[in-house]
Amino acid sequence: FSVNYHCLSGNCSESGVCMGKQAGESCYDHPECNVGLGCIASQTFPFMTKCTELQSSGYCLDDFGC
């Protein structure tokens, strides 16, 4: 890849690697986030979705949350 619009996240590094969004950044779907992060909806108002670290244990809202 060589330009930002080639990447789902819109962020292409100088070496041509697609970089996902960082923890805390707004997102629409899981593939937008960096490895180890998922696009998880907040459980409180305003219920925004942000790239969030995946859990290794505890309660998950869906399979991707853990």
Side-chain angles (χ1 to χ4, degrees):
F1 298 105
S2 58
V3 290
N4 287 334
Y5 70 84
H6 286 154
C7 297
L8 182 60
S9 65
N11 186 12
C12 181
S13 72
E14 290 181 17
S15 60
V17 176
C18 289
M19 303 297 293
K21 293 182 177 182
Q22 302 295 317
E25 289 189 70
S26 178
C27 57
Y28 178 74
D29 200 8
H30 301 303
E32 294 178 57
C33 302
N34 260 336
V35 173
L37 303 174
C39 189
I40 310 295
S42 169
Q43 297 301 299
T44 58
F45 185 80
F47 306 106
M48 295 177 61
T49 53
K50 295 182 180 181
C51 293
T52 307
E53 285 189 42
L54 300 177
Q55 302 178 105
S56 60
S57 63
Y59 180 76
C60 300
L61 296 176
D62 60 29
D63 286 344
F64 199 88
C66 292

